[in-house]
Amino acid sequence: MLGLQVTQRVTREHLHGMIKPERQTECGDGEMSGEHLGTLLRQVSRTSIGEIESLIVELKTLHEKLQTDGDRIQRDIAEHAELSQQVMQLTKIISDSVKKLPGRAA
């Protein structure tokens, strides 16, 4: 969302900076010429496309990081479950051994 706000602000600033009286070619009725309007549109499009492409690259990078972190967490959980199972087995062995000690009241 922040990237979109930055893109909108940059585009507005870019447009504001491009529309200057000395650069405008006016038709006889005081409107901007089609050529100038086309140039303006191409510049805005180029800026917007660049920003969108940057956001796509950033999103792909974040997606890869999330995927990698998710895989690591899944491996950690599996390892923890295996270690917990081993601890439970060892605890049972120790408990059974203590029950079998001599002089122990049953």
Side-chain angles (χ1 to χ4, degrees), residues 52-62:
I52 290 169
E53 287 173 348
S54 294
L55 289 172
I56 289 171
V57 168
E58 186 178 341
L59 287 172
K60 284 182 179 179
T61 302
L62 289 172

Side-chain angles (χ1 to χ4, degrees), residues 2 13 21 23 29 34 38 43-44 53 68 76 81 95 101:
L2 179 61
E13 290 172 359
R23 291 187 65 194
D29 58 0
Q43 289 174 339
V44 171
E53 287 173 348
T68 302
D76 289 349
S95 175
L101 287 175

Side-chain angles (χ1 to χ4, degrees), residues 28-87:
D29 58 0
E31 292 185 12
M32 227 186 285
S33 73
E35 181 181 328
H36 181 71
L37 194 55
T39 301
L40 183 64
L41 182 60
R42 279 190 297 280
Q43 289 174 339
V44 171
S45 295
R46 195 174 318 123
T47 300
S48 297
I49 289 170
E51 289 293 323
I52 290 169
E53 287 173 348
S54 294
L55 289 172
I56 289 171
V57 168
E58 186 178 341
L59 287 172
K60 284 182 179 179
T61 302
L62 289 172
H63 178 267
E64 290 170 6
K65 182 176 176 8
L66 283 172
Q67 189 69 43
T68 302
D69 290 350
D71 292 344
R72 181 186 50 79
I73 290 169
Q74 192 170 12
R75 284 190 310 272
D76 289 349
I77 289 171
E79 183 179 328
H80 181 269
E82 184 178 333
L83 288 173
S84 292
Q85 183 64 34
Q86 291 173 357
V87 167

